[in-house]
Amino acid sequence: MAGPLWPRSRRGSTDEALIRSVYEEHGQALLAYATRLTGDRAAAEDVVQETLIRAWRHSDALVNGKGSVRGWLLTVTRNIITDRYRAKAARPAEVAGSPATPPVEEDHADSVVDAMTVMGALDRLSAEHRDVLTELYYRQRTVAEVADTLGIPPGTVKSRSHYALKALRETFGEGDRQSAPRKPAGPRKVVA
């Protein structure tokens, strides 16, 4: 037979009395053992509590007459500590963020949003204007180098960069004037 045939409520009060007596008899020894293994009183108290919960769940192991109760409890305590140690070792170390210890990498969300905004604005430009700005600002070439690369006169490079920058200023200025009425935008492909 697996256990007594008492109703659950009566059996529950019996289990509670058993665990109280186990704690009174073995609690101090369990706490001392767990504190020695963990080196931390608070962690040891948590381990003892978990040990008693397991004893309550497996109360039949305490009353079956096989082996010593204290030996069973100490084994459970050691196993809980071992499981916690292994679980902690398997996880990456937790790092608390504070002004004294800033994160290794700063939050780069703003720069990502800025880059996406600029790319979206560049997509609104004509290919000729976008090519001139790409050569001038991203590849950091001179007007003469851009003229040679794109096969256009230097004056056209200057003109296209002027109109492209003007269009970008207008695009970014729209966000500042959200409440102002907006003129309908017509085709804006100004190629000089």
Side-chain angles (χ1 to χ4, degrees), residues 54-71:
R54 290 189 187 181
W56 176 70
R57 287 184 184 151
H58 303 285
S59 59
D60 56 329
L62 300 176
V63 294
N64 68 6
K66 296 179 183 175
S68 93
V69 172
R70 184 171 285 194

Side-chain angles (χ1 to χ4, degrees), residues 57-132:
R57 287 184 184 151
H58 303 285
S59 59
D60 56 329
L62 300 176
V63 294
N64 68 6
K66 296 179 183 175
S68 93
V69 172
R70 184 171 285 194
W72 187 88
L73 292 169
L74 292 173
T75 300
V76 170
T77 300
R78 185 188 68 238
N79 290 343
I80 291 170
I81 293 169
T82 302
D83 291 346
R84 287 183 177 198
Y85 175 78
R86 287 178 181 162
K88 188 176 182 180
R91 286 191 311 232
E94 295 178 12
V95 178
S98 72
T101 58
V104 176
E105 183 175 321
E106 292 293 323
D107 182 20
H108 62 279
D110 289 338
S111 63
V112 170
V113 170
D114 290 344
M116 291 175 62
T117 303
V118 170
M119 288 176 12
L122 286 173
D123 286 343
R124 294 173 131 182
L125 298 175
S126 68
E128 292 85 9
H129 288 135
R130 190 173 38 251
D131 291 344
V132 166

Side-chain angles (χ1 to χ4, degrees), residues 3 5 38 90 93 97 110 114 132 139 142 145 148:
L5 299 175
T38 61
D110 289 338
D114 290 344
V132 166
R139 295 196 178 113
T142 66
E145 291 171 337
D148 286 343

Side-chain angles (χ1 to χ4, degrees), residues 31-68:
L31 185 59
Y33 182 63
T35 303
R36 190 166 31 106
L37 291 177
T38 61
D40 180 7
R41 170 79 181 213
E45 289 173 356
D46 290 343
V47 169
V48 169
Q49 182 177 2
E50 180 66 27
T51 301
L52 293 174
I53 290 171
R54 290 189 187 181
W56 176 70
R57 287 184 184 151
H58 303 285
S59 59
D60 56 329
L62 300 176
V63 294
N64 68 6
K66 296 179 183 175
S68 93

Side-chain angles (χ1 to χ4, degrees), residues 6-26:
W6 297 320
R8 181 69 185 151
S9 62
R10 186 167 175 209
R11 185 170 166 236
S13 64
T14 305
D15 288 350
E16 184 177 328
L18 176 65
I19 296 305
R20 280 187 193 277
S21 69
V22 165
Y23 178 72
E24 288 171 5
E25 187 175 340
H26 304 287

Side-chain angles (χ1 to χ4, degrees), residues 173-184:
E174 288 175 5
D176 297 337
R177 294 178 277 142
Q178 292 176 357
S179 60
R182 201 174 143 195
K183 293 184 211 172

